[in-house]
């Protein structure tokens, strides 16, 4: 099993930066065996993929909408995954969820946390 708790959301202005954190607690499998990801859901929209990092930490992929602005990273010593968000836009406003999966890149059905709200004002 895995439990995830996000933090770091808030209200920022367009162009600002924000760093989200996700603390992961695992049982039965080590944290290092999980691939990790971030998803987001804006009001009235479906949940969408944002970024992911594989269990080695070497392979990362991003949604086109955030490439060059967001960066995902993991710290296996702290059982945590992060999302550095730069040059934020109003379109980035959403609830952000972190997810974990031992089977590969997390998807919308993977275990996830309760989410943290990010609001970008113009």
């Amino acid at each position: 099993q895995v439990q995830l708790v996000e933090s770091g959301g808030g209200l920022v202005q367009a162009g600002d930066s924000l760093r989200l954190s996700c603390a992961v607690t695992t049982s039965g499998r080590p944290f290092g065996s999980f691939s990790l990801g971030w998803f987001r859901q804006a009001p009235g929209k479906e949940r969408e993929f944002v970024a992911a990092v594989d269990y080695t930490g070497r392979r990362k992929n991003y949604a086109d909408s955030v490439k060059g602005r967001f960066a995902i990273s993991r710290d296996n010593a702290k059982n945590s995954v992060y999302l550095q968000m730069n040059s934020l836009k109003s379109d980035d406003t959403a609830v952000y969820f972190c997810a974990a999966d031992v089977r590969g890149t997390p998807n919308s059905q993977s275990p996830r946390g309760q989410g943290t709200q990010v609001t970008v004002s113009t």
Side-chain angles (χ1 to χ4, degrees), residues 32-102:
S33 65
F34 285 82
S35 294
L36 306 164
W38 288 93
F39 292 78
R40 68 186 182 186
Q41 187 166 17
K45 296 186 177 180
E46 293 186 353
R47 189 175 306 125
E48 65 174 357
F49 168 80
V50 175
V53 56
D54 76 343
Y55 70 98
T56 70
R58 291 193 293 268
R59 295 180 182 177
K60 303 176 182 180
N61 57 301
Y62 299 91
D64 288 343
S65 58
V66 305
K67 279 182 181 177
R69 300 189 299 122
F70 290 13
I72 189 171
S73 61
R74 64 186 294 160
D75 186 337
N76 286 358
K78 296 182 178 181
N79 281 25
S80 294
V81 59
Y82 307 98
L83 186 68
Q84 178 67 43
M85 306 185 294
N86 300 324
S87 302
L88 283 161
K89 306 175 182 178
S90 58
D91 287 347
D92 296 319
T93 294
V95 177
Y96 284 71
F97 305 87
C98 62
D101 208 314
V102 293

Side-chain angles (χ1 to χ4, degrees), residues 5-13 16-23 38-40 70 81-85 88 92-98 114-121:
V5 179
E6 303 92 341
S7 62
L11 172 63
V12 297
Q13 294 187 333
D16 284 353
S17 297
L18 205 57
R19 188 191 193 212
L20 305 183
S21 300
C22 177
W38 288 93
F39 292 78
R40 68 186 182 186
F70 290 13
V81 59
Y82 307 98
L83 186 68
Q84 178 67 43
M85 306 185 294
L88 283 161
D92 296 319
T93 294
V95 177
Y96 284 71
F97 305 87
C98 62
Q114 292 299 307
T116 185
Q117 176 72 47
V118 173
T119 303
V120 183
S121 66

